[in-house]
Amino acid sequence: MKKQIAILGSTGSIGTQALQVIEEHPDLYEAYALTANNRVDMLIEQARKFQPEVVVIANEEKYLYLKEALSDLPIKVYAGADAICQVVQEKSVDIVLTAMVGYAGLRPTMAAIRARKVIALANKETMVVAGELINALANEYQTPILPVDSEHSAIFQCLEMQNSLEKIILTASGGPFRTFTMEQLQHVTKEQALKHPNWSMGAKITVDSASMMNKGFEVIEAKWLFGLKPEQIEVVVHPQSVIHSMVEFEDGAVKAQLGVPDMRLPIQYAFSYPQRVRSSFDRLDFMKCNNLTFEAPDTNRFRNLALAYEALNQGGNMPCIVNAANEVVVAAFLKDQISFLGMSDVIEQCMQRVPFIQVPTYENYVSTDAETRRIAAEIVINQMK
Ligand code: NDP
Ligand code: MG
């Protein structure tokens, strides 16, 4: 039986690579559902090629255009965020790949967990915003959450059933500004930030990588995925991105997972787990890896990483506040409304201003997200004056 996969965010970087994995293994996987937000023409093209059972466009204004374009095919066409939540619950779906960006991933992930679908989790924001709630839900419904993020997939691949780990070492490329001084960081542009040295990704996560917020989020994601204390999560800058992350066991042994930087591998592993399946992806050539280097992250220049650890230590709705503020400032940075370093200032102010809730409910997360976005937008506008 082919595994039926719902790809949430099929038009994005992870989504298109997931479709390449499906294309490589037509005997194993089938795209059951494809969803997007705005890029309707790409969604139409994908639907024609992969013939899914259903497509959903989150932006309801594009519904008629999409419906018309696919009217000659037996594909169900829906629109809106609620429809995405419904589609993931359909009986035939085996795996839900959460490859949409941002807070929008939270609700459909919760719906998929309740429907007991295997979650291939790319959307790390869900774990950042509400990791505790997601874990409780996954426990209640006995739903597996398999990591797609390359670092977390690496750790997952290194784990040993019988042995508890002492700590994990998350590797970070350091992004395009790794060697920049504070003075240089003050003037970086979005064009520079959007050029990641090792990975080609969506705009938001590329900016997050440049600002090290991505690594901060991955620390929080790791806490919830692997049940760790903050002090068990270490970040090491490794600019070559060959080691995707490491696990240290109680006896001091360290296991690492290595490979060329290619997201198709962790995506495929989440689809094929617990098996591995043959792939045609590039192999690592050790003769070309004669310079693997490691250094400590600098949280003075990259304050976001320190802010993420602070949010993790405070717990409650604090990571949700950081996530929402970050989504606002990244969007503002991409519109040239705020400077690169200004992003951390706004996030820090939101952490101080938005009411703290130690044990949030789902409704608390929703209101925290909305309130933080309002305050962050207000600070950005005031700064522009
Ligand atoms: P992209 O920006 O490339 O793609 C995002 C996808 O989500 C698109 O299909 C987009 O649709 C859709 N989308 C955006 N907003 C909404 C919304 N409100 N409702 C429904 N769908 C929406 O992002 P990436 O693929 O780079 O990243 C996706 C997720 O995976 C992120 O959470 C990221 O952190 C994570 N991730 C990504 C990695 C990578 O290598 N790219 C690595 C590790 C994790 P449309 O195209 O129509 O706008
Ligand atoms: Mg990652």
Side-chain angles (χ1 to χ4, degrees):
M1 281 276 278
K2 293 182 198 178
K3 288 186 183 167
Q4 299 295 320
I5 303 178
I7 303 182
L8 310 188
S10 65
T11 50
S13 156
I14 292 287
T16 49
Q17 293 181 85
L19 286 171
Q20 288 172 24
V21 170
I22 292 177
E23 212 176 350
E24 171 138 335
H25 301 289
D27 49 328
L28 297 177
Y29 311 121
E30 210 159 47
Y32 181 90
L34 302 179
T35 82
N37 190 29
N38 280 314
R39 280 179 272 189
V40 66
D41 287 317
M42 196 195 296
L43 183 61
I44 292 164
E45 211 177 288
Q46 292 179 340
R48 292 204 156 274
K49 182 165 174 188
F50 289 90
Q51 307 270 324
E53 213 46 44
V54 31
V55 297
V56 187
I57 186 88
N59 181 348
E60 298 183 30
E61 286 173 17
K62 314 236 165 169
Y63 171 72
L64 286 178
Y65 180 79
L66 176 65
K67 174 107 183 123
E68 178 64 30
L70 296 176
S71 58
D72 59 322
L73 296 171
I75 299 176
K76 288 180 266 176
V77 180
Y78 303 127
D82 287 346
I84 297 177
C85 292
Q86 270 156 27
V87 159
V88 297
Q89 303 177 47
E90 286 201 15
K91 200 161 168 288
S92 310
V93 173
D94 298 305
I95 301 176
V96 175
L97 172 65
T98 66
M100 68 238 282
V101 60
Y103 175 85
L106 178 60
R107 215 156 59 89
T109 306
M110 288 172 67
I113 292 173
R114 287 199 177 96
R116 296 195 158 88
K117 307 301 183 187
V118 172
I119 309 293
L121 183 106
N123 178 263
K124 68 190 84 185
E125 292 91 342
T126 286
M127 277 311 206
V128 172
V129 169
E132 198 159 10
L133 186 103
I134 291 291
N135 271 0
L137 212 58
N139 266 333
E140 186 183 340
Y141 289 87
Q142 291 295 300
T143 304
I145 301 181
L146 306 176
V148 168
D149 212 345
S150 57
E151 294 78 0
H152 305 73
S153 176
I155 289 158
F156 186 60
Q157 292 177 60
C158 291
L159 292 179
E160 295 176 0
M161 280 297 190
Q162 296 83 355
N163 295 309
S164 49
L165 48 85
E166 187 129 302
K167 67 172 183 186
I168 62 165
I169 300 135
L170 284 178
T171 51
S173 72
F177 307 138
R178 181 174 60 90
T179 58
F180 278 37
T181 62
M182 274 311 251
E183 170 64 23
Q184 285 174 304
L185 284 176
Q186 231 142 28
H187 305 293
V188 298
T189 62
K190 67 175 183 213
E191 287 76 19
Q192 288 172 294
L194 286 172
K195 278 199 194 104
H196 195 277
N198 304 340
W199 299 93
S200 159
M201 310 177 285
K204 192 253 178 186
I205 185 176
T206 306
V207 174
D208 285 349
S209 298
S211 71
M212 294 285 280
M213 185 52 96
N214 182 53
K215 210 47 57 180
F217 284 172
E218 291 184 353
V219 169
I220 301 174
E221 183 186 12
K223 175 199 158 83
W224 297 117
L225 283 176
F226 306 113
L228 300 169
K229 299 193 187 84
E231 57 273 22
Q232 288 179 292
I233 310 170
E234 189 180 324
V235 172
V236 170
V237 175
H238 165 49
Q240 298 79 21
S241 296
V242 169
I243 295 179
H244 297 318
S245 277
M246 299 178 256
V247 171
E248 186 179 312
F249 292 94
E250 286 168 324
D251 59 356
V254 178
K255 276 165 78 173
Q257 190 261 337
L258 289 72
V260 289
D262 183 343
M263 285 309 295
R264 289 175 303 173
L265 195 138
I267 294 168
Q268 175 175 298
Y269 189 67
F271 288 175
S272 69
Y273 179 80
Q275 272 86 39
R276 290 184 185 274
V277 294
R278 177 160 292 283
S279 84
S280 64
F281 312 149
D282 284 350
R283 289 345 194 210
L284 193 60
D285 180 352
F286 277 93
M287 300 312 137
K288 289 186 184 144
C289 301
N290 49 13
N291 188 29
L292 299 186
T293 61
F294 305 93
E295 62 198 49
D298 181 349
T299 48
N300 291 324
R301 281 180 304 135
F302 296 99
R303 258 167 58 221
N304 281 349
L305 185 57
L307 294 177
Y309 266 105
E310 196 178 314
L312 181 60
N313 283 318
Q314 289 190 44
N317 64 341
M318 198 51 86
C320 174
I321 295 171
V322 172
N323 178 71
N326 183 61
E327 287 193 30
V328 171
V329 294
V330 170
F333 176 70
L334 289 171
K335 286 190 222 142
D336 294 318
Q337 293 170 343
I338 185 173
S339 71
F340 185 75
L341 291 177
M343 291 196 287
S344 307
D345 295 336
V346 178
I347 295 166
E348 200 166 8
Q349 285 183 53
C350 287
M351 290 171 79
Q352 286 154 7
R353 277 177 57 180
V354 180
F356 179 67
I357 304 170
Q358 187 70 66
V359 187
T361 60
Y362 173 69
E363 287 69 30
N364 292 146
Y365 286 123
V366 174
S367 56
T368 298
D369 179 76
E371 177 70 354
T372 308
R373 282 170 196 272
R374 192 186 62 72
I375 292 176
E378 191 184 289
I379 303 171
V380 171
I381 288 168
N382 282 337
Q383 278 191 2
M384 285 164 64
K385 280 180 191 158

